[in-house]
Amino acid sequence: MEYIVIIIAAIFVNNIVLNQFLGICPFLGVSKKISTAVGMTGAVTFVMVIATIVTYLIQLYILNAYGLQFLQTIFFILVIASLVQLVEIILKKVSPALYQALGVFLPLITTNCAILGVAILTIQKEFNLMEGVVYAIANAIGFGLALVLFAGLREHLDLVNVPKGLKGTPIALIVAGILAMAFMGFSGLV
Amino acid sequence: MNQWTNFTKGFIKENPVFVLLLGMCPTLGVTSSAINGLGMGLATTFVLVMSNLVISLIKSQIPSKVRIPSFIVIIAAFVTVVELTMQAYLPSLFKSLGLFIPLIVVNCLVLGRAEAFASKNNLLSSLVDGVGMGLGFSFALTLLGAAREFFGAGKIFDIVVYPEDYGMLLFVLAPGAFIVLGYLIALINRMNKA
């Protein structure tokens, strides 16, 4: 039951992109086509879950054990940056097909604040490891949902006659605002 | 390039938020009021100036293969400085900015300037670039925060302009951030073309 509450809250009520404003750069950057949006979601899910597990263990066995909590930011970002590199190398060897699909998106993930954000939030909310994993997966799904919905809207936006001054980024942001408004309908669900 | 144009380019012409679209997460996340926007902007400015300074000083020592991780460590160190200082002296601001303080590390603006400017230019230019870009970022965040606070709560910097009951709450909530930023970018595009 607890897990269901975490999942619903993370996907709909506190959607990571539309409500917490994490991962806006890929949200605006790779949302021009649904296919790239799906690829990005896959890469984010993969890295987010691994990063949350690794940073959780580091927090527990290194930072808390030796009283080094103030080094959290430095430790976490280094771990995530090297993890992305590692995942890239391993994927290239083990599964070239998956590497082809996710390849271009992997380097972009280091500066995706959703990854670091979820890692820190897991610690702040005092989840245990299992809850942390569920939280990470749910947030990745929430990210994917927002990204794919937005990409679908933007594909249609190309065919619409937009006022000259609002073309490009401005209208995309306004559409994102309306999408965020729709997600506000979920508040109070949990 | 003379230093004055180097300094002023960050405000309108190459404004990091309105034109380059860098650092969007804190831009949208913390600007529910003008004071939060200004606080976030100044915190980022400090990190940006200090990391530009250090990186331009040691750029010849860093092997180019590991430059990105080295930049990230330098940036993360200054973010930790800001985090601890703010926690000690401005606890209420620290609370309202919350998660976005440690997330300055992954602000593409800071890493972007380090990679694109500080690692190629001398100390003085990097310093001027950092201050100019940082203040341009603060300007954008404060403007966005003030607009949202004005429409949403009838206040600017907590000074009451009209009664709060007439405000549109939507602008303080999440959707307002996207919508106001969209219109501000349209406005700045228009100004840059004219």
Side-chain angles (χ1 to χ4, degrees):
Chain A
M1 192 57 214
E2 254 169 76
Y3 295 138
I4 295 172
V5 172
I6 292 176
I7 291 170
I8 303 271
I11 297 178
F12 295 111
V13 182
N14 291 317
N15 186 280
I16 189 160
V17 180
L18 296 168
N19 197 296
Q20 308 205 52
F21 302 111
L22 298 174
I24 299 285
C25 295
F27 181 66
L28 294 174
V30 297
S31 59
K32 291 211 171 95
K33 270 167 117 193
I34 292 183
S35 55
T36 49
V38 172
M40 186 68 185
T41 306
V44 165
T45 311
F46 201 63
V47 176
M48 194 181 269
V49 174
I50 301 175
T52 305
I53 297 172
V54 175
T55 51
Y56 184 87
L57 294 176
I58 284 183
Q59 177 78 25
L60 198 63
Y61 291 110
I62 299 179
L63 298 185
N64 284 354
Y66 296 99
L68 294 170
Q69 284 91 343
F70 63 95
L71 287 177
Q72 193 190 50
T73 312
I74 299 182
F75 256 80
F76 280 19
I77 190 65
L78 266 183
V79 166
I80 291 169
S82 38
L83 207 63
V84 172
Q85 288 276 316
L86 201 70
V87 167
E88 208 177 332
I89 295 168
I90 293 174
L91 266 191
K92 210 173 179 177
K93 278 274 176 228
V94 177
S95 166
L98 193 61
Y99 177 77
Q100 281 291 322
L102 303 182
V104 275
F105 301 110
L106 281 174
L108 288 174
I109 287 181
T110 316
T111 51
N112 181 346
C113 48
I115 309 282
L116 183 61
V118 168
I120 296 177
L121 279 174
T122 307
I123 307 296
Q124 275 180 4
K125 291 182 184 243
E126 294 177 348
F127 284 147
N128 61 35
L129 185 57
M130 201 53 220
E131 285 168 341
V133 172
V134 172
Y135 184 67
I137 294 172
N139 269 312
I141 296 172
F143 176 82
L145 181 68
L147 194 63
V148 171
L149 280 177
F150 189 52
L153 287 170
R154 279 186 90 169
E155 280 189 353
H156 284 279
L157 212 55
D158 287 340
L159 309 169
V160 179
N161 194 9
V162 177
K164 211 169 135 203
L166 292 177
K167 270 198 178 120
T169 322
I171 192 71
L173 280 166
I174 293 165
V175 168
I178 296 168
L179 192 58
M181 226 185 281
F183 268 77
M184 270 173 67
F186 292 118
S187 60
L189 203 62
V190 172
Chain B
M1 197 191 321
N2 83 30
Q3 295 300 353
W4 179 247
T5 40
N6 188 12
F7 177 68
T8 52
K9 68 173 191 263
F11 282 85
I12 299 285
K13 227 174 158 192
E14 283 184 38
N15 188 290
V17 174
F18 296 137
V19 181
L20 303 178
L21 302 176
L22 294 173
M24 299 303 266
C25 301
T27 304
L28 293 164
V30 302
T31 51
S32 53
S33 71
I35 195 79
N36 283 354
L38 186 63
M40 186 68 208
L42 293 180
T44 312
T45 305
F46 172 78
V47 175
L48 186 57
V49 171
M50 296 310 284
S51 61
N52 260 7
L53 192 83
V54 170
I55 287 165
S56 80
L57 276 177
I58 60 170
K59 60 176 182 283
S60 54
Q61 312 291 323
I62 303 177
S64 69
K65 270 190 181 157
V66 293
R67 68 179 192 287
I68 299 285
S70 334
F71 293 167
I72 290 180
V73 176
I74 293 167
I75 294 166
F78 286 114
V79 171
T80 308
V81 170
V82 169
E83 207 178 339
L84 294 176
T85 314
M86 207 179 252
Q87 205 169 5
Y89 295 103
L90 297 164
S92 65
L93 187 65
F94 180 78
K95 237 183 171 170
S96 58
L97 297 183
L99 183 63
F100 285 98
I101 295 288
L103 288 183
I104 296 175
V105 181
V106 280
N107 188 328
C108 355
L109 171 64
V110 182
L111 192 63
R113 293 325 285 177
E115 167 74 3
F117 200 93
S119 63
K120 294 185 188 111
N121 286 282
N122 64 25
L123 182 64
L124 185 65
S125 303
S126 304
L127 195 66
V128 173
D129 176 78
V131 176
M133 277 289 167
L135 291 180
F137 186 71
S138 312
F139 164 71
L141 260 65
T142 314
L143 189 66
L144 184 59
R148 287 178 67 189
E149 205 183 349
F150 177 75
F151 289 119
K155 293 185 278 192
I156 291 178
F157 282 109
D158 278 333
I159 299 163
V160 177
V161 182
Y162 61 86
E164 199 174 337
D165 293 347
Y166 296 108
M168 293 169 275
L169 185 64
L170 181 74
F171 282 97
V172 183
L173 300 175
F178 288 107
I179 294 170
V180 173
L181 184 63
Y183 279 109
L184 281 177
I185 290 176
L187 193 73
I188 300 282
N189 280 348
R190 170 94 198 159
M191 278 168 69
N192 274 346
K193 263 189 208 136

